[in-house]
Amino acid sequence: MKRNKEKNIFVALCLAPALLLFTIFMVIPTLNVFYISTLKWGGLSANKTFVGLKNYTILFEDMNFIASLQNTILIIVIVTIITMVVSLIFASIIVREDIKFKNFFRVIFYIPNILSVVVISSIFAQIYDPSTNGLLNSILGLFNGEGWTTIKFLGDQGIVIYAIIGAMIWQAIGYYMVMYMASISAIPEHLYEAAQIAGASRFTQFTRITIPLIWNNIRTTLTFFIISSINLSFLFVKVMTSGGPDGASETVLSYLYSQAYTNASYGYGMAIGAVVFILSFILSGAISKATKRDVLEY
Amino acid sequence: MKKLFKVLLASLLCLGLVGCSADTDDNAGDATGTPETPVLKIAGLDGGYGSAGWEAVIANFEAAEGVSVELQLEKNIAEVLRPVINSGKDIPDLVYLAVGATGGLTEAMISEKQILDISDVLDMQVGAEGVTVGEKLLPGFTDALTSSPYQDGSLYLAPINYGPCGLFYDANLLATKGWELPTTWAEMFELGDLAAAEGIALFTYPTTGYFDAFFSAVLNSVVGPEQYAKLMTYDVAAWESESTKEAFALVGKLAGYVEENTVANANGEGFTKNQLLILDNKAIFCPNGTWLPGEMAEAPRTEGFEWGFTSIPAYTEGGDAYATTFVEQMYIPTSAENADLAKKFIAYCYSDEAAALFYTNGGAVMPIVGNEKFITAEDPNSLYYNIYNTGAKANAVGFAAIEKVEGVDLTSADGILYGTVNSVVAGTKTVEEWHADVVEAVKKLNK
């Protein structure tokens, strides 16, 4: 009995530093965000007025916020679907197929992940250049005759968000590919051999063996997709378009930033932050629930 | 023994934590100053004028006053200072950051009333020149809304580095094509049609952020100074008026003459490509400040290119043509420790000695009487500063301080008033919609 108590004290003492750090750096700041979101505060002075949930009522009538939320959800959905499909296929090809320069491709695909978002954004600013010298526009120009006007990837309000999505997918593929490759490599070879003998095609092997056996990994990456899409979209938007033209590429975090700082409405910015926090929790939870399957043992 | 070891280990972990958070105040004494020599902390923007001017002026001030000055100039000073000001510790005694600069820190300081009233600086002597700061400053600068934002007759932000914002163009292009420099908007659009026939656009802009200087000059020339002053104080009736609508319509018409790639490049990443358009003779006019030739010094250009600079055209024949006077500000935060020393430094900045140093080390011009001593006729800068001697009127830009309203950003570079220009140019919003949005925002700000 005494030993047990001693053990508990020891465990508690060992956990204490980590718990303390977690409380100081995670729990308190998060609670603080919720507290500040109930204030009318410019962010600099001691002049804070408690306004209750007023910031939230303004928020849900603010069409700029709704538009930025729509953009963010669009980014999450499209980036997740395309990146996941492409990186799964690439991972499967590199691990499963007997192709040359495997390691070379592995490195090439991973490179965008090492580059900083600012560098990637600068690269894509050149790719999307609206003049005929732009990389994409000069290629498109080959297929179009005289009098063709170039596509304004970052200037057309209907296209700009997809242009940002394109850059985000390019950046993300390598990272997720490496994650999928790790779990695909762990699948025992004999399963594929047995499937081959039974006459299963490559595609069937992919859908019936690979996908089910790395399902847990896919589920984990789905949460990553949500969090990283929300975070990275801010950086891409900030560098490539500053939310423009005229707010067309604004995402929730870039809108939070411009409200909290440029518009000196810190309390309002934190209300946006609180909504994003809750939203990403709900989204991750819902996706995790919807994709729950029995883990297959092998 | 084992138990003792466990307890020791655990307390060691905890100690480590405490160690991490321990205040490092014992280092504070190592700073450059001692109690005898006060330290003046200056923080500001590392902008187009560079840091050499500041360093030279500070060196002289240190020698004259026997004080020590710490200078911190950063490109992202708003982001650097925000947490510092929030923490209330180590607040700079003097901040050099213009109203309207990226990050909105100065606007936040104004709306949060965090800036010290420095009206007494106006009565301070400028070195041994025998004049006060108030006498030395050019008229009109201290009562502008950018310096006296609360309209209470007090000075809060000291004006520094002024320069005209007008339209830049290639003088050689106009000369070779035989095109006249337009003085009215009617002539401007005529020129636009002529140029369009040769595949040259009339207008481009780096980002919508430059519309604060450009559009305010248009507004001033269309509605007149009296109503313009009302616009700057968010007067709803003034914003709703027909004459204000006419100014919007003018920009709407100009939108049809804007170079086609402008909107796509009107962001932090591509704005230089828009500026390049006038060097490449793909567009004629580009609104900008005097730093543009320096900023584009290394850029390739068409043969024979020659910088030209003019005011915004007059609305009607014989009407007033304006060029916005862009002026930066420096101010003392209310919680600064050495406010008196900072005031002394501000007064010193307006001395001939400091002004000469600022000008020769980076080209910044102080808004003081006797500037012509530095900017001689041979000086390339005289092209810009002469604009007011050749008929253009000075237009002050800057809105009155107002309590910020959540979700309503009217006046920032991407705000409703200027940011929407991109939509008007792209054709996704009409001028009427833009005007209605602005009026609605002004109404919300007045609530």
Side-chain angles (χ1 to χ4, degrees):
Chain A
M1 191 62 200
K2 196 185 165 209
R3 251 194 106 65
N4 212 2
K5 197 179 167 195
E6 268 177 11
K7 193 180 164 192
N8 283 345
I9 292 174
F10 177 69
V11 169
L13 279 172
C14 286
L15 283 175
L19 274 176
L20 202 63
L21 283 171
F22 183 73
T23 314
I24 292 171
F25 292 110
M26 293 293 289
V27 181
I28 296 175
T30 309
L31 291 176
N32 218 12
V33 166
F34 283 90
Y35 165 65
I36 295 171
S37 74
T38 60
L39 303 175
K40 184 177 176 65
W41 182 37
L44 291 175
S45 65
N47 190 6
K48 301 172 186 173
T49 325
F50 181 75
V51 290
L53 296 177
K54 192 166 167 244
N55 282 333
Y56 292 91
T57 52
I58 301 171
L59 192 59
F60 291 110
E61 286 167 11
D62 184 349
M63 287 321 290
N64 292 331
F65 169 70
I66 307 287
S68 65
L69 192 63
Q70 284 174 334
N71 279 344
T72 308
I73 291 171
L74 184 77
I75 289 174
I76 293 175
V77 172
I78 299 189
V79 170
T80 305
I81 292 175
I82 299 183
T83 315
M84 195 166 74
V85 171
V86 175
S87 42
L88 264 174
I89 293 171
F90 282 177
S92 181
I93 290 173
I94 290 181
V95 177
R96 297 286 323 142
E97 302 302 316
D98 188 23
I99 52 163
K100 279 183 180 173
F101 310 121
K102 265 188 188 186
N103 280 330
F104 174 72
F105 285 123
R106 200 191 296 229
V107 171
I108 288 292
F109 281 123
Y110 198 72
I111 281 180
N113 225 271
I114 307 164
L115 300 176
S116 89
V117 174
V118 179
V119 175
I120 297 170
S121 301
S122 302
I123 293 172
F124 272 84
Q126 299 312 315
I127 292 175
Y128 293 142
D129 190 312
S131 72
T132 44
N133 300 325
L135 193 77
L136 271 179
N137 272 317
S138 57
I139 295 170
L140 289 170
L142 294 175
F143 304 104
N144 290 282
E146 276 288 299
W148 174 73
T149 50
T150 55
I151 297 176
K152 322 290 181 234
F153 292 100
L154 299 179
D156 188 319
Q157 296 178 348
I159 298 178
V160 63
I161 196 75
Y162 297 99
I164 286 168
I165 288 172
M168 287 181 70
I169 291 172
W170 184 82
Q171 185 265 352
I173 283 176
Y175 176 73
Y176 290 101
M177 192 188 78
V178 170
M179 285 181 83
Y180 294 139
M181 275 167 66
S183 45
I184 293 174
S185 316
I187 300 173
E189 190 60 33
H190 66 80
L191 292 176
Y192 289 101
E193 283 166 4
Q196 214 163 358
I197 293 165
S201 67
R202 289 278 157 87
F203 182 73
T204 315
Q205 287 176 29
F206 178 70
T207 52
R208 305 293 285 271
I209 300 174
T210 311
I211 300 282
L213 289 183
I214 64 163
W215 189 251
N216 242 3
N217 186 332
I218 292 175
R219 282 183 66 205
T220 316
T221 55
L222 278 171
T223 314
F224 283 13
F225 273 119
I226 294 166
I227 299 165
S228 68
S229 297
I230 291 175
N231 286 332
L232 286 178
S233 62
F234 168 70
L235 297 173
F236 277 99
V237 164
K238 205 81 204 141
V239 182
M240 282 170 77
T241 65
S242 325
D246 194 17
S249 60
E250 202 86 81
T251 65
V252 271
L253 289 196
S254 66
Y255 191 60
L256 181 162
Y257 187 87
S258 67
Q259 281 299 317
Y261 299 116
T262 313
N263 201 33
S265 307
Y266 203 77
Y268 187 60
M270 289 308 107
I272 300 173
V275 170
V276 174
F277 180 85
I278 294 169
L279 192 83
S280 30
F281 249 91
I282 294 176
L283 214 57
S284 306
I287 284 186
S288 177
K289 186 110 183 127
T291 55
K292 201 170 166 69
R293 304 277 185 281
D294 289 333
V295 179
L296 297 172
E297 304 275 350
Y298 50 82
Chain B
M1 192 59 208
K2 225 176 183 178
K3 188 179 162 192
L4 189 72
F5 178 70
K6 284 176 189 168
V7 172
L8 267 177
L9 206 71
S11 27
L12 208 71
L13 276 168
C14 290
L15 258 179
L17 246 189
V18 177
C20 288
S21 64
D23 215 313
T24 47
D25 256 1
D26 34 316
N27 288 335
D30 299 343
T32 39
T34 58
E36 292 84 46
T37 54
V39 181
L40 178 70
K41 284 186 223 140
I42 301 176
L45 181 76
D46 184 4
Y49 297 117
S51 59
W54 282 95
E55 282 154 13
V57 169
I58 284 169
N60 275 18
F61 183 74
E62 281 177 330
E65 295 289 328
V67 295
S68 168
V69 179
E70 277 177 17
L71 176 69
Q72 184 193 15
L73 295 182
E74 308 273 358
K75 292 218 182 292
N76 60 340
I77 193 70
E79 285 167 32
V80 174
L81 281 187
R82 202 174 275 276
V84 175
I85 290 170
N86 247 333
S87 75
K89 274 185 185 172
D90 287 330
I91 290 182
D93 302 307
L94 185 69
V95 176
Y96 153 59
L97 184 66
V99 174
T102 318
L105 180 71
T106 304
E107 280 87 342
M109 295 286 281
I110 293 171
S111 69
E112 296 261 298
K113 300 204 164 58
Q114 293 294 297
I115 297 178
L116 197 70
D117 180 348
I118 51 165
S119 304
D120 50 341
V121 171
L122 293 173
D123 299 321
M124 287 170 78
Q125 290 290 321
V126 181
E129 293 176 17
V131 287
T132 63
V133 171
E135 290 160 350
K136 189 78 189 277
L137 277 165
L138 286 175
F141 278 94
T142 48
D143 38 358
L145 286 168
T146 44
S147 279
S148 175
Y150 310 116
Q151 299 166 279
D152 56 359
S154 297
L155 177 72
Y156 291 85
L157 300 98
I160 180 173
N161 305 348
Y162 90 110
C165 274
L167 297 175
F168 281 85
Y169 62 95
D170 177 5
N172 181 51
L173 174 73
L174 263 63
T176 45
K177 298 275 181 195
W179 293 334
E180 291 271 319
L181 193 63
T183 54
T184 63
W185 277 102
E187 289 174 17
M188 182 84 164
F189 293 126
E190 269 172 39
L191 173 64
D193 294 331
L194 282 175
E198 304 211 13
I200 303 173
L202 177 68
F203 193 75
T204 185
Y205 50 90
T207 68
T208 51
Y210 288 78
F211 270 74
D212 64 347
F214 174 76
F215 189 45
S216 62
V218 173
L219 277 170
N220 205 344
S221 71
V222 176
V223 304
E226 207 173 297
Q227 192 176 327
Y228 177 71
K230 285 185 187 165
L231 293 175
M232 293 296 113
T233 53
Y234 303 97
D235 184 294
V236 178
W239 281 102
E240 278 179 327
S241 75
E242 282 305 314
S243 53
T244 304
K245 264 189 198 167
E246 281 171 35
F248 278 75
L250 206 57
V251 175
K253 189 171 179 192
L254 182 65
Y257 291 87
V258 171
E259 202 278 338
E260 57 170 8
N261 292 334
T262 297
V263 176
N265 284 326
N267 48 55
E269 189 68 37
F271 73 98
T272 43
K273 289 181 189 161
N274 283 342
Q275 293 174 171
L276 205 58
L277 291 171
I278 58 166
L279 291 136
D280 285 343
N281 286 168
K282 286 183 180 155
I284 302 180
F285 295 109
C286 177
N288 220 307
T290 50
W291 56 86
L292 179 69
E295 196 170 52
M296 302 304 285
E298 306 289 320
R301 58 202 68 199
T302 47
E303 222 182 300
F305 180 90
E306 193 188 324
W307 286 108
F309 186 64
T310 185
S311 59
I312 313 300
Y315 183 47
T316 50
E317 189 82 45
D320 289 329
Y322 283 93
T324 296
T325 308
F326 185 77
V327 59
E328 298 185 310
Q329 289 80 28
M330 51 183 173
Y331 51 88
I332 306 174
T334 44
S335 35
E337 277 177 21
N338 293 311
D340 288 335
L341 191 57
K343 285 178 185 173
K344 254 188 189 173
F345 181 80
I346 293 175
Y348 173 69
C349 283
Y350 295 124
S351 67
D352 283 348
E353 183 183 80
L357 286 172
F358 273 125
Y359 185 64
T360 47
N361 296 287
V365 179
M366 296 298 277
I368 53 167
V369 178
N371 262 330
E372 46 302 336
K373 275 180 277 188
F374 319 117
I375 314 165
T376 52
E378 301 82 56
D379 194 321
N381 271 332
S382 63
L383 169 70
Y384 318 124
Y385 288 87
N386 261 341
I387 193 169
Y388 300 122
N389 301 332
T390 52
K393 284 193 165 186
N395 171 60
V397 61
F399 281 83
I402 197 166
E403 195 180 351
K404 295 281 185 182
V405 173
E406 287 77 9
V408 183
D409 176 10
L410 183 68
T411 56
S412 83
D414 301 313
I416 298 162
L417 183 56
Y418 309 129
T420 314
V421 170
N422 274 338
S423 287
V424 175
V425 173
T428 49
K429 260 191 185 163
T430 64
V431 173
E432 288 73 32
E433 286 170 330
W434 175 31
H435 180 255
D437 286 351
V438 170
V439 169
E440 195 194 325
V442 173
K443 281 180 183 164
K444 280 186 188 165
L445 289 171
N446 270 296
K447 264 181 196 167

